[in-house]
């Protein structure tokens, strides 16, 4: 049923806690898993203050670190016998995830929620909530350990 599963990760242990659920879906289906890290661009004012060269170097280092992070996780999943790809893109997280899905043959998104509610969710927004409401494909939002839900 699912042949291409997208797992957005933000570098946190909480986001990674969804990986066992993604594996449980991917293994029996023989699906490819794509690990995606979205890097938010520097604020224009910060970029101008830093100068073009320094800002470009910071972008480069940030992308390299994000790719190394994804490569580490991909290595573990590949060792479990999964077909895994990774991608690092720049943009606003929810929109970038939706655009990635539209540009690739993704047919399921598996992601964790950071569990914010109330004022904190309103103030910071929820990438998971935005993806859930805008995605053209099914989105699985798994329960995460210690999320205080219930």
């Amino acid at each position: 049923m699912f042949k291409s599963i997208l797992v957005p990760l933000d570098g946190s242990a909480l986001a990674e806690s969804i990986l066992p659920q993604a594996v449980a879906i991917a293994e029996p289906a023989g699906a490819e898993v794509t690990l995606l890290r979205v890097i938010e661009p520097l604020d224009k004012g910060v970029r101008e203050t830093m100068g073009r060269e320094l800002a470009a170097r910071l972008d480069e280092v940030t992308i390299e670190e994000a790719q190394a992070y994804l490569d580490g996780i991909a290595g573990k999943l590949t060792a479990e016998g999964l077909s895994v790809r990774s991608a690092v893109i720049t943009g606003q997280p929810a929109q970038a995830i939706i655009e990635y899905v539209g540009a690739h043959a993704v047919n399921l998104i598996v992601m964790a929620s950071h569990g914010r509610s109330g004022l904190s969710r309103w103030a910071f927004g929820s990438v998971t909530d935005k993806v859930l409401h805008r995605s053209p494909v099914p989105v699985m939002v798994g329960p995460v350990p210690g999320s205080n839900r219930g």
Side-chain angles (χ1 to χ4, degrees):
M1 179 175 182
F2 299 114
K3 295 297 174 199
S4 179
I5 299 171
L6 180 67
V7 182
L9 298 171
D10 64 7
S12 70
L14 186 62
E16 291 173 31
S17 69
I18 199 66
L19 288 168
Q21 288 92 328
V23 170
I25 295 168
E27 270 182 335
E32 179 179 65
V33 174
T34 300
L35 305 173
L36 179 68
R37 179 79 189 267
V38 179
I39 305 297
E40 292 189 68
L42 287 173
D43 177 75
K44 185 179 178 183
V46 172
R47 196 174 233 8
E48 289 172 358
T49 301
M50 292 177 76
R52 182 178 296 146
E53 285 183 38
L54 184 56
R57 180 65 186 136
L58 181 59
D59 289 342
E60 186 179 305
V61 168
T62 301
I63 290 168
E64 288 171 2
E65 288 176 352
Q67 189 61 58
Y69 161 74
L70 292 179
D71 289 346
I73 294 171
K76 293 174 189 172
L77 297 179
T78 300
E80 293 181 33
L82 293 176
S83 172
V84 182
R85 299 180 348 159
S86 64
V88 177
I89 58 177
T90 302
Q92 297 305 315
Q95 186 61 36
I97 292 166
I98 297 301
E99 289 173 3
Y100 188 91
V101 167
H104 298 81
V106 171
N107 48 33
L108 176 67
I109 301 170
V110 177
M111 62 191 306
S113 173
H114 280 258
R116 290 188 183 121
S117 61
L119 185 57
S120 137
R121 184 176 189 185
W122 176 80
F124 298 108
S126 167
V127 172
T128 303
D129 188 56
K130 290 174 186 172
V131 170
L132 189 60
H133 287 92
R134 297 178 186 164
S135 177
V137 301
V139 179
M140 183 193 129
V141 180
V144 294
S147 65
N148 295 329
R149 295 184 185 225

